Amino acid sequence: METELLKKAVPPLLGWYRIHKRELPWREGRTPYSALVAELMLQQTRVEAVKERFTSFLRRFPTAEALASAGEDEVLKEWEGLGYYSRARNLHAAAKIIAKEGFPRTWYGVRALPGVGDYTAGAVSSIALGLPEPAVDGNVVRILARLFADEETDSPALRKKYAESLRAVFPPETADFTEALMELGAIVCVPNGSPLCGECPWNKLCRAHLAGEEENYPVRAEKRARRVEILNVYVLRCGGKYAIGKRGKGLLAGLWEFPNEPADRAAPTPLGAKGVLATKTAKHIFTHVEWRMTGYLLETEETDPRFVWATADEIREKYAIPSAFRAFTEWVK
Ligand code: ADE
C-alpha cells in the first residue's frame, strides 16, 4: 500500500526537483570525494553556512590525495567556522584511506570510512556512486510521515522502515532522487510554520495534506505524564525521638523515611497519636513521579516497635532522609 503510494510519488518529485532545485556548490562538478566533503560538512551545519566554506575548502584540497597530504593544522584551519571539528579530523583520516585504497564502491565501503553513519553513507552512495541507497534523516522522515499520514514517532526503527520503502522504489536517477527528497523537506515541506503545500509536487497524493493535517506529522514523541501519588506523611515524636523506617525496593530504595501511606483512606492512620501538633503540605517532583504530600506532626504515647526511633542529632548525622521529605525534616529539632 505504501509502496504503491511512494511509487506514484517518485515521478512528480523528480520533475519538480529538476525545475526548482537550488544551485548549490556541491552540485557542480561533483566527484565522490567532493560529495563526501559536502555531506560531512552538512551533517551538523546549515546549508547557508556550508555554501560559504565548501568552495574554498575544495579549492585548497581539490582531491583526496591533496587532503591526505596536508597537515592536521592546515585542515582544521580550513574547517574554521564550521564547528564540530571531529568531522574535519574524520574527513582527513578518510582522505588518507581513499588516497591509498581508492574511493569505496559500495555502501558498506563508504559506511566504513571515519565519520560516516548510515545517513551519510546513503547520501554519498546514491549521490556520488549511483547506488540505490536511501539517506533518511529528520527531513525525509517528515516528508514521508506526511505523505503516508503515518502515526509513528521518529525512531531508528521508523528510519529503517522508510529506508526499506525508498529502496523498493529507487529510480535510476539515484542522485536526483536523494537530493529531491532532501530538497522537498528543506524548501517546501518545512518543519515549523505552514508547509507550502500549494507548491508541493505531492499535494494530490499526500494523505496528511488531503486530511488538512500536515502540521500533525510526524507525530511528536509524547512526553510521558508524571504519575501523581498523594501521600500522608507522619512525623511521630515520642520523648524527643522520631520514628523513621528504611525504604524498600524502588524509588529512593535503601534511604530512610518518615512513616507514610497513600492518602486514599478516609482518614489518616491514628498511630497512637495524642494529638496533631502541626500539618503542612509539600510537593516533590521526580523524573517520572510527583508526590503531593500532607504532613502531620504527631506526639505519641509509645514508641511503636515497627519503626526505628532516632533523635534529631542521629537523624542529621546517621540517617539519610531524602530531600523529598525536606519540608517535614524541618519539624525534627
Ligand atoms: N543536506 C545534507 N546533504 C545535502 C545535500 N546534498 N544537498 C542539500 N542539503 C543537504
Side-chain angles (χ1 to χ4, degrees):
M1 176 86 157
E2 288 181 358
T3 306
E4 284 312 304
L5 177 55
L6 196 53
K7 217 181 254 170
K8 277 194 214 144
V10 174
L13 178 68
L14 292 174
W16 169 85
Y17 179 68
R18 284 179 194 126
I19 297 167
H20 296 283
K21 68 176 173 186
R22 292 169 294 179
E23 275 184 27
L24 297 172
W26 49 92
R27 293 180 178 168
E28 315 285 325
R30 187 139 54 195
T31 65
Y33 164 74
S34 76
L36 178 66
V37 173
E39 294 307 326
L40 283 171
M41 286 186 175
L42 286 159
Q43 275 174 356
Q44 276 137 319
T45 307
R46 288 172 309 106
V47 164
E48 287 309 309
V50 172
K51 259 162 88 171
E52 292 169 14
R53 308 309 318 278
F54 174 83
T55 310
S56 83
F57 191 95
L58 259 259
R59 203 177 297 130
R60 179 81 186 269
F61 309 117
T63 61
E65 289 73 17
L67 181 58
S69 59
E72 177 160 285
D73 286 343
E74 276 179 275
V75 178
L76 295 177
K77 181 70 189 157
E78 194 56 52
W79 197 267
E80 205 169 61
L82 288 166
Y84 303 99
Y85 287 85
S86 63
R87 294 180 298 168
R89 292 198 182 87
N90 282 330
L91 177 58
H92 195 200
K96 289 179 186 176
I97 295 168
I98 296 164
K100 218 160 97 196
E101 302 175 5
F103 204 91
R105 291 164 181 278
T106 64
W107 182 92
Y108 287 98
V110 177
R111 179 68 175 78
L113 293 172
V116 174
D118 289 355
Y119 170 77
T120 301
V124 171
S125 299
S126 57
I127 293 173
L129 304 179
L131 299 171
E133 297 287 356
V136 181
D137 68 351
N139 288 317
V140 174
V141 166
R142 182 175 60 258
I143 69 173
L144 295 184
R146 287 176 178 167
L147 178 65
F148 302 140
D150 193 339
E151 302 285 344
E152 275 188 68
T153 55
D154 193 358
S155 69
L158 184 67
R159 291 183 183 206
K160 245 190 191 128
K161 184 177 101 174
Y162 284 173
E164 288 313 310
S165 307
L166 290 169
R167 199 170 273 121
V169 302
F170 236 92
E173 305 91 327
T174 61
D176 278 4
F177 186 53
T178 288
E179 289 201 288
L181 292 164
M182 294 174 175
E183 203 77 344
L184 192 66
I187 66 181
V188 171
C189 196
V190 292
N192 302 312
S194 306
L196 309 171
C197 301
E199 297 170 26
C200 181
W202 287 352
N203 60 18
K204 295 194 179 59
L205 297 171
C206 176
R207 290 188 191 140
H209 177 62
L210 296 174
E213 290 178 350
E214 51 281 339
E215 291 278 5
N216 298 346
Y217 298 92
V219 175
R220 270 179 223 281
E222 211 172 302
K223 283 206 192 108
R224 288 249 256 127
R226 279 193 195 92
R227 186 173 72 247
V228 174
E229 293 182 356
I230 300 173
L231 298 174
N232 287 331
V233 178
Y234 308 107
V235 178
L236 307 177
R237 192 169 73 193
C238 184
K241 292 193 170 184
Y242 297 84
I244 55 174
K246 196 169 197 174
R247 288 181 68 81
K249 280 197 196 135
L251 197 60
L252 309 174
L255 297 173
W256 292 82
E257 66 181 353
F258 300 114
N260 61 78
E261 64 184 353
D264 53 8
R265 315 176 177 223
T269 307
L271 291 162
K274 282 191 285 191
V276 177
L277 306 178
T279 66
K280 69 164 120 173
T281 59
K283 187 158 100 167
H284 191 82
I285 294 175
F286 301 93
T287 311
H288 302 296
V289 184
E290 175 179 329
W291 280 355
R292 292 187 196 154
M293 297 167 280
T294 304
Y296 299 85
L297 176 61
L298 306 167
E299 190 78 36
T300 66
E301 306 256 10
E302 295 172 12
T303 52
D304 185 326
R306 288 176 296 168
F307 306 120
V308 170
W309 291 82
T311 63
D313 283 345
E314 286 172 327
I315 286 176
R316 247 188 311 279
E317 286 155 27
K318 233 174 102 185
Y319 297 100
I321 296 184
S323 57
F325 295 104
R326 179 174 298 142
F328 311 118
T329 37
E330 286 172 9
W331 281 336
V332 175
K333 300 204 178 89

